[in-house]
Structure formats: structure tokens, C-alpha cells
Amino acid sequence: MDGVEILDKLTGLPVSTWRYAWEPAAVRHLGPMAQDFAATFGLGDDDRVINHVDVNGVLIVSVQAMHRRIRELETRLAALEGGQR
């Protein structure tokens, strides 16, 4: 699993507010459309529903990629500062 690739895809995923047709108009949810999620990641068996397992996987891999990137940047910064922090 290429975490950087997943993170890049995640940052390009459109996010909007929406509601289910059966909910009152005042109810709002925040997230991607299922069709966009399916097209971006190719996960799940339906482009009308986002499976929470898939969302969790995408988020975990993305957090791991960000963590590695932050560590790399911290290491580079420490080297530029001569090891002083």
C-alpha cells in the first residue's frame, strides 16, 4: 500500500455537505459522495454507499504517510539547524 499515493488521492477527493433523502432538510452530513469515493479508491462493492471499513483504512494509511513525512521533515530541519532544537 502506497500511503503517499492514497494521501494524494484523499487530498483531491471532493468533500461536501449532504443529507439522505429521507432526513429532514435541517440535517447535514459532511463527507465525500460515495460515487467519488468509489472512483477515487476503487474500494467497496457499491458506488452508492461508503463502507466504514474502507474509510478507516484510507484514513489510517493517510495518517501513517503524514507521520512518516513529518518525521522526515523534522530530521531534515534538525540537520539544517545543526542538531539544535
Side-chain angles (χ1 to χ4, degrees):
M1 184 63 41
D2 183 347
V4 173
E5 179 183 345
I6 297 293
L7 182 58
D8 286 343
K9 287 181 179 183
L10 183 63
T11 60
L13 185 65
V15 176
S16 57
T17 60
W18 52 273
R19 69 178 177 85
Y20 293 106
W22 62 83
E23 293 179 312
V27 174
R28 303 306 297 164
H29 301 284
L30 176 67
M33 298 294 115
Q35 295 84 354
D36 292 332
F37 189 88
T40 299
F41 298 108
L43 299 171
D45 60 356
D46 185 344
D47 72 348
R48 296 180 58 202
V49 176
I50 301 174
N51 188 306
H52 289 115
V53 171
D54 296 328
V55 171
N56 290 341
V58 166
L59 294 177
I60 288 169
V61 169
S62 296
V63 167
Q64 290 172 342
M66 285 191 295
H67 178 74
R68 283 190 298 275
R69 183 64 177 145
I70 289 168
R71 292 290 185 195
E72 291 168 6
L73 291 171
E74 288 174 337
T75 300
R76 288 175 60 192
L77 180 59
L80 289 171
E81 292 176 340
Q84 300 174 19
R85 286 199 82 167

